[in-house]
Amino acid sequence: MAREDYEIVIGLETHIELGTKTKIFCNCSTEFGGEPNAHTCPVCLALPGATPVLNEKVVEYAVKAGLATNCTIPEYTWQNRKNYLYPDMSPGYQVSQTEDFICQNGYIEIDTENGPKKIRIYEIHIETDAGKLVHGEYTNSSLVDLNRAGVPLAEIVSEPDLRSSEEVEKYLRSLKAIMEYIGVSDCKMQEGSMRADINLSVRKKGDPKYGNRTEMKNMNSFKFIVKAIEYEALRQIDILEDGGEVPSETVRWDEVSQKTIPMRDKDSAAYRPFPDPELAPIVLTKEYVENIRESLPELPEVRKKRYIEEYGLPEYDSKVITASKHFADLFEGAAKICNNPKAVSNWIMTEIIKVLNDQGLEPADIPFSSSDLGNLIILIDNGTISGGIGKKVLAEMFENPKAPEVIVKEKGWVQISDEGAIKEVVLKVLENNPQSVADYKAGKDKALGFLVGQAMKETRGQGNPGMLNKMFLDELKK
Ligand code: ADP
Ligand code: MG
Ligand code: ZN
């Protein structure tokens, strides 16, 4: 049998760091970095006698995440201790939800070739993050930094509804966008505030039963996720084709060898969870949940449709722009200022995305405001600068953020639209390029483009291209 005779089945457990200011059970800061163990107290160090109190914001953010992904919110849930010993987890247990969950039975929609597809979310629960081991940095041994211990996480567990690496990428991007829109997490994958465990199995097409699955933990790069899925699926198919059985185990993607490497048997029964006796159950009234539902902002799908209707954006543009809340806010703010929505979307989709990619930045890192972008487009639309100079201004706005008007003035980049000045340049270029003039007169239209190019060079890109073109034609007709 061949690869095409098999179907890939994937379910994701996605961890996102909730963006609360303080930890889940104490008032320590959740800020990234800091001196080792500076953000700790008796509660998150798990000293005897310390009393944890659940952070209300954690509950609110989790409920927001659940409602935005079409979950139901049960009235009564609680938190369990999952007992296991890791050196970076000083209590000897993780507090999590393992039997009943704060959000249940939701879904999100992704676009596929065959139209929209629902990916069901089995549950979302809250839990604690662990600390970090630091190997050999301060002494010749391993030390523990508990700054991250007790930072709140939400784990979003999907049903095994995903069928390819493309679907996984779409699902994760959509989840990321939703969480950004509702403001519960910045979901920065490279900083680890969003990471996914990928459960993957394969089965013969048409087989009603799922196969054995493996799990790849803590994946936080789309590039690696796609490669790991492709490799792992083929590895499992090979095992089955050889008449073997896929062992249920944890595997690790190894970027160096471009392979998945089996790590250990899966043994999830070992945690022996029981309700945390220090923590009260979580009881949420209907009213509480409905208040949060009403406070939810507009979500990506809705915004996408609105941009098509209200701003006349093509569907493709609207999809790209609304995939990030930062892009969407930038678009909407700039479009209101310059009244040229298509130009705004073009700038975002070409130049701005290019700079972000080149510099390895995320939309959240854009250092200028939507009004700066709107004003840049106004400068182009009213002829103060050319589109070409506009790109230089944008690069400057990333480098050294200032209002575009100020940049143009300081750099002396105002477009030359003075008729006398343009004529002077045109005459000079004609005089210096007699061959091109002869070519043009002999019917080679391309020579005109060359002459305009020379004039742009002469004006260091600041000549008004429309005026130059017209002036050359007038002169060449003489
Ligand atoms: P555990 O608690 O051991 O991680 P769960 O039952 O909570 O197991 O499932 C974890 C994830 O594995 C879920 O996202 C689920 O969709 C996915 N999953 C379960 N069975 C399969 C399978 N056969 N193939 C692929 N994914 C699966
Ligand atoms: Mg798991
Ligand atoms: Zn603390």
Side-chain angles (χ1 to χ4, degrees), residues 393 410 438:
V393 175
E410 281 181 3

Side-chain angles (χ1 to χ4, degrees), residues 72-290:
T72 39
I73 312 295
E75 191 179 345
Y76 183 97
T77 60
W78 68 96
Q79 293 164 281
N80 278 352
R81 291 183 179 180
K82 282 171 81 177
N83 299 282
Y84 52 110
L85 198 62
Y86 275 165
D88 58 3
M89 209 180 54
S90 44
Y93 55 83
Q94 179 191 31
V95 178
S96 182
Q97 296 188 297
T98 63
E99 287 162 85
D100 220 342
F101 311 98
I102 191 163
C103 313
Q104 305 179 5
N105 296 324
Y107 67 89
I108 64 173
E109 260 179 15
I110 59 170
D111 286 328
T112 70
E113 281 160 17
N114 312 319
K117 174 174 173 182
K118 269 187 188 162
I119 307 300
R120 290 168 302 155
I121 288 168
Y122 174 57
E123 53 104 346
I124 303 177
H125 65 262
I126 53 177
E127 62 185 25
T128 54
D129 207 345
K132 254 186 213 157
L133 290 180
V134 187
H135 303 290
E137 192 172 316
Y138 300 93
T139 65
N140 211 0
S141 49
S142 295
L143 300 175
V144 65
D145 173 7
L146 292 172
N147 281 348
R148 209 181 56 188
V151 166
L153 300 176
E155 179 174 340
I156 302 163
V157 182
S158 87
E159 297 279 4
D161 288 346
L162 297 153
R163 293 290 175 271
S164 65
S165 57
E166 299 93 79
E167 288 191 6
V168 167
E169 178 162 358
K170 282 181 182 160
Y171 168 83
L172 283 172
R173 287 195 189 279
S174 168
L175 213 53
K176 182 169 149 71
I178 292 170
M179 297 306 148
E180 268 177 21
Y181 271 69
I182 60 177
V184 304
S185 173
D186 63 10
C187 292
K188 286 194 177 171
M189 291 185 85
Q190 75 278 26
E191 282 179 20
S193 60
M194 177 172 184
R195 44 196 201 253
D197 300 346
I198 300 170
N199 298 273
L200 185 151
S201 63
V202 298
R203 63 176 168 185
K204 295 217 174 96
K205 278 186 183 153
D207 194 337
K209 265 197 4 253
Y210 290 137
N212 281 355
R213 69 182 147 115
T214 61
E215 183 169 8
M216 298 183 266
K217 283 191 176 288
N218 287 324
M219 304 288 290
N220 67 343
S221 139
F222 284 115
K223 214 172 90 200
F224 294 173
I225 287 174
V226 170
K227 286 197 284 187
I229 289 174
E230 300 298 334
Y231 183 89
E232 178 60 12
L234 289 177
R235 190 183 74 89
Q236 293 189 10
I237 291 170
D238 277 349
I239 294 177
L240 296 181
E241 284 289 288
D242 286 347
E245 200 182 322
V246 174
S248 300
E249 60 191 356
T250 303
V251 300
R252 179 176 65 86
W253 171 248
D254 183 55
E255 183 55 20
V256 178
S257 63
Q258 299 280 303
K259 286 182 171 153
T260 49
I261 300 173
M263 300 275 287
R264 58 179 147 88
D265 284 354
K266 215 179 141 49
D267 183 10
S268 51
Y271 301 132
R272 302 199 186 286
F274 63 85
D276 191 314
E278 299 277 10
L279 295 166
I282 303 171
V283 180
L284 304 176
T285 63
K286 251 207 182 86
E287 197 193 356
Y288 174 85
V289 174
E290 289 316 307

